[in-house]
Amino acid sequence: MPKEHTDLSKLCIHTITTKPWNIEEAAKKFSAVGVKGITVWRNALEEKNIKETGKILRAHDLTIVSLCRGGFFPNKDPNKRQEAIDDNRRAIEEAHELGASMVVLVCGADTTQSLEESRKQIHDGIATILPHAADAGIKLAIEPLHPMYADTRSAINTLAQANDMAEVLNSQWVGVAVDVYHLWWDPNLEKEIKRCGKSNNLFAFHICDWKTPTTDMLNDRGLMGEGCIPIKKIRSWVGDAGFNGFNEVEIFSNAYWKEDQDIFLKKIIEAYQKHS
Amino acid sequence: MPKEHTDLSKLCIHTITTKPWNIEEAAKKFSAVGVKGITVWRNALEEKNIKETGKILRAHDLTIVSLCRGGFFPNKDPNKRQEAIDDNRRAIEEAHELGASMVVLVCGADTTQSLEESRKQIHDGIATILPHAADAGIKLAIEPLHPMYADTRSAINTLAQANDMAEVLNSQWVGVAVDVYHLWWDPNLEKEIKRCGKSNNLFAFHICDWKTPTTDMLNDRGLMGEGCIPIKKIRSWVGDAGFNGFNEVEIFSNAYWKEDQDIFLKKIIEAYQKHS
């Protein structure tokens, strides 16, 4: 088992986790309790001056870990695929303006075509935006999503698939994001974490928990410790694979979003220290 | 693509699919429209004389394809594991009395222990009941379940895992059940279907569809054609692997259970002919 977290120097929280707070409020609150990292969801930047927002976050001593999210490449309609490419280029520009070093890719899927075709379009989409990412100095993290999202959110559903794709694209700017929620069930997880460690493709580590029962397929994630995911064990694999970045708390939860977010933030800190 | 279904000689319907009907009614209705196979869920046999029920089904010219379900082996508590063994032995006896040749195993999982431990207990559970199954001439089909059920329903979530386990157990009485709902997303599906075909472990084929959106993780399955699963393609793989058994329609659906079941049965027949 990995060492206990004795401080919050490697704790990052996604803005979506505390969705009711706007980004300035989130930055202030995170910073006040000692959180050192923030991952910014693009909705939090709407109608904001992105450069100024980046300055505010850094003024709160926050590292901007990632921008969430690019992706959604597959579409039967080539015009829609081009729109996705354009949007991913904008995401890269936004990350650059913000001062984030990485864009997380939720790769997408289109129910009107085969998963194989969607996967090919994901590959081609990433290959197309890659020079732009390299120019901007922005890393792209392919995030495999749980197979229950294979219909519309991602045709990349295992870390093996994400590793395959990153290795084929073979660029220092393309790697993978390991999210325990999506991958905990996979019997090959330890092996595949080792693999992306070795290939220098392990870019990000996201944590939360799987609740029993899960009452909503999207917005019922649990705090670390509330579910059955062996988070510490997976963190030990990630650590052994050489990852030394932030542990990013990414929780979508209708229940927690209804709570007082100050109390929720306290719970996050406690859960992080005890159960991750 | 496989040939269109020109008749219903390979169509089997699970009793749970038309849950509002009792088993005699289901048998009569299935038979009247030309369905030739039935898979019986154990709840349909409660308070029934099982031998007599088997006779009734055969009198309707129905092949009793499987009994659903055994399994649920893992538990941290050894007494509970023994209870599961006993229950699986009863399931084998019930299948024998009914005249079904197979018991489908939903293997189980226990959130209070690791998936690895649950998998070991599944292996040991099947190994323990295997002599009883062989004596009774009943096949055991390991059904890998969708990863969204890895918390409590099954620690076996890919066909590769089910194939591994069947091969280790290495008995003519142990094989696998391929259910498109659980496995459609898997990039290794074609390969693993070939594998269980070669090892004579492909025992059963279950069909339905994955709806977008899916509003209930358990009881919102779609009729064939309503979703994004490439059922015909998967059936072609199963056929190429040498499977010549029934196509079993297994739909859990709060929506369809509310419908007039005669109308639903018509829709099943139509969906079977057009989309599977």
Side-chain angles (χ1 to χ4, degrees):
Chain A
M1 285 297 122
K3 284 184 192 167
E4 295 268 308
H5 295 296
T6 51
D7 61 36
L8 307 182
S9 62
K10 291 289 181 186
L11 171 57
C12 166
I13 302 178
H14 283 226
T15 56
I16 194 90
T17 299
T18 55
K19 194 170 73 167
W21 282 339
N22 65 36
I23 192 163
E24 293 86 355
E25 202 171 2
K28 195 175 136 190
K29 302 281 193 177
F30 293 175
S31 176
V33 294
V35 174
K36 294 295 180 193
I38 187 166
T39 278
V40 176
W41 278 57
R42 291 172 77 191
N43 69 309
L45 296 175
E46 278 166 19
E47 298 174 36
K48 303 276 178 191
N49 179 314
I50 295 179
K51 274 193 185 165
E52 288 304 315
T53 304
K55 282 184 195 166
I56 292 168
L57 301 184
R58 280 184 292 278
H60 280 103
D61 198 23
L62 290 165
T63 297
I64 307 170
V65 179
S66 301
L67 183 72
C68 272
R69 56 200 189 186
F72 289 99
F73 298 104
N75 203 296
K76 210 169 193 168
D77 178 348
N79 294 319
K80 298 278 182 186
R81 291 204 296 278
Q82 185 56 51
E83 283 173 26
I85 296 291
D86 296 342
D87 185 61
N88 276 278
R89 287 205 177 106
R90 276 194 300 276
I92 290 164
E93 282 156 30
E94 285 169 27
H96 184 71
E97 283 181 36
L98 187 66
S101 59
M102 179 159 52
V103 170
V104 176
L105 302 178
V106 170
C107 293
D110 178 348
T111 57
T112 68
Q113 64 187 13
S114 70
L115 286 170
E116 291 76 15
E117 188 61 28
S118 287
R119 288 166 192 152
K120 192 178 165 300
Q121 292 173 1
I122 291 166
H123 169 275
D124 293 350
I126 299 174
T128 304
I129 64 168
L130 185 46
H132 196 67
D135 282 350
I138 299 292
K139 291 185 285 185
L140 303 172
I142 301 169
E143 181 173 14
L145 255 55
H146 195 285
M148 71 183 173
Y149 304 123
D151 55 346
T152 57
R153 286 174 194 275
S154 184
I156 305 293
N157 306 104
T158 62
L159 186 52
Q161 287 176 288
N163 279 339
D164 286 348
M165 193 164 286
E167 289 173 16
V168 166
L169 287 161
N170 190 24
S171 159
Q172 64 173 302
W173 302 103
V174 178
V176 302
V178 169
D179 185 318
V180 299
Y181 192 78
H182 297 303
L183 304 176
W184 72 279
W185 58 272
D186 186 348
N188 297 316
L189 185 56
E190 183 177 8
K191 183 178 83 179
E192 293 294 332
I193 286 175
K194 274 187 192 155
R195 176 181 164 194
C196 59
K198 267 189 196 155
S199 57
N200 296 315
N201 283 336
L202 180 40
F203 283 6
F205 182 52
H206 296 181
I207 57 176
C208 69
D209 216 334
W210 182 283
K211 286 167 63 185
T212 302
T214 291
T215 58
D216 184 290
M217 288 171 79
L218 195 60
N219 297 324
D220 192 31
R221 295 189 180 197
L223 271 169
M224 296 73 75
E226 281 189 321
C228 58
I229 301 179
I231 303 170
K232 286 188 186 188
K233 185 158 73 177
I234 300 174
R235 183 162 73 85
S236 78
W237 298 340
V238 163
D240 291 347
F243 182 79
N244 192 30
F246 280 89
N247 304 291
E248 303 182 41
V249 176
E250 183 186 29
I251 298 174
F252 315 144
S253 165
N254 292 325
Y256 283 122
W257 288 332
K258 278 181 200 152
E259 270 198 15
D260 178 316
Q261 297 297 290
D262 286 298
I263 294 172
F264 180 37
L265 180 57
K266 276 186 196 161
K267 288 182 183 172
I268 292 171
I269 306 290
E270 201 177 289
Y272 176 72
Q273 290 177 317
K274 277 196 188 164
H275 302 291
S276 80
Chain B
M1 285 298 124
K3 284 184 190 164
E4 294 268 307
H5 295 297
T6 52
D7 61 35
L8 307 183
S9 62
K10 291 291 181 186
L11 172 57
C12 166
I13 302 178
H14 283 226
T15 56
I16 194 93
T17 298
T18 55
K19 193 170 74 167
W21 282 339
N22 64 37
I23 193 163
E24 293 87 354
E25 202 171 2
K28 196 175 138 189
K29 302 282 193 178
F30 293 176
S31 176
V33 293
V35 174
K36 293 296 180 193
I38 188 166
T39 278
V40 177
W41 278 57
R42 292 173 78 190
N43 68 308
L45 295 175
E46 279 167 17
E47 297 175 36
K48 303 276 178 192
N49 178 314
I50 295 178
K51 272 193 186 164
E52 288 303 313
T53 303
K55 282 183 194 165
I56 292 168
L57 301 184
R58 280 184 293 280
H60 280 103
D61 200 22
L62 289 165
T63 297
I64 306 169
V65 178
S66 301
L67 183 72
C68 273
R69 56 199 190 184
F72 290 99
F73 297 104
N75 202 295
K76 211 169 193 168
D77 178 349
N79 294 319
K80 298 277 183 186
R81 292 204 297 279
Q82 186 57 49
E83 282 173 26
I85 296 291
D86 296 342
D87 185 62
N88 276 278
R89 288 205 176 105
R90 277 194 300 276
I92 289 165
E93 282 155 30
E94 286 169 26
H96 184 71
E97 284 181 35
L98 187 68
S101 59
M102 179 159 53
V103 171
V104 177
L105 301 179
V106 169
C107 294
D110 178 347
T111 56
T112 68
Q113 64 186 14
S114 72
L115 286 170
E116 292 75 15
E117 187 62 27
S118 287
R119 287 166 192 151
K120 192 178 165 299
Q121 292 173 1
I122 291 166
H123 169 275
D124 293 350
I126 300 174
T128 304
I129 63 167
L130 186 46
H132 195 67
D135 282 349
I138 299 293
K139 290 185 284 184
L140 303 172
I142 301 169
E143 181 173 14
L145 254 56
H146 194 285
M148 71 183 172
Y149 304 124
D151 55 348
T152 57
R153 288 173 194 274
S154 184
I156 305 293
N157 306 103
T158 63
L159 187 52
Q161 288 176 288
N163 280 338
D164 285 349
M165 195 165 285
E167 289 173 16
V168 166
L169 287 161
N170 190 26
S171 160
Q172 63 172 302
W173 301 103
V174 178
V176 302
V178 169
D179 184 319
V180 300
Y181 191 78
H182 297 302
L183 304 176
W184 73 278
W185 59 271
D186 186 348
N188 296 316
L189 185 55
E190 183 177 8
K191 184 178 82 177
E192 293 294 332
I193 285 175
K194 274 188 190 154
R195 175 181 164 195
C196 58
K198 268 191 194 155
S199 56
N200 297 314
N201 283 338
L202 181 40
F203 284 5
F205 182 51
H206 296 181
I207 57 176
C208 70
D209 215 334
W210 182 283
K211 286 167 64 186
T212 301
T214 292
T215 58
D216 184 290
M217 289 172 78
L218 194 60
N219 297 323
D220 192 30
R221 295 188 180 198
L223 270 170
M224 297 73 76
E226 282 190 319
C228 58
I229 301 179
I231 303 171
K232 288 188 184 188
K233 186 158 76 177
I234 298 173
R235 183 162 74 86
S236 78
W237 296 341
V238 163
D240 292 347
F243 182 78
N244 192 30
F246 280 89
N247 304 290
E248 304 182 41
V249 177
E250 184 185 29
I251 299 174
F252 316 143
S253 166
N254 292 325
Y256 282 122
W257 289 331
K258 276 182 203 153
E259 270 198 14
D260 178 317
Q261 297 297 288
D262 286 299
I263 295 173
F264 180 37
L265 180 57
K266 276 186 194 159
K267 289 182 184 172
I268 292 171
I269 306 291
E270 201 177 289
Y272 176 71
Q273 290 178 318
K274 278 196 188 162
H275 302 292
S276 82

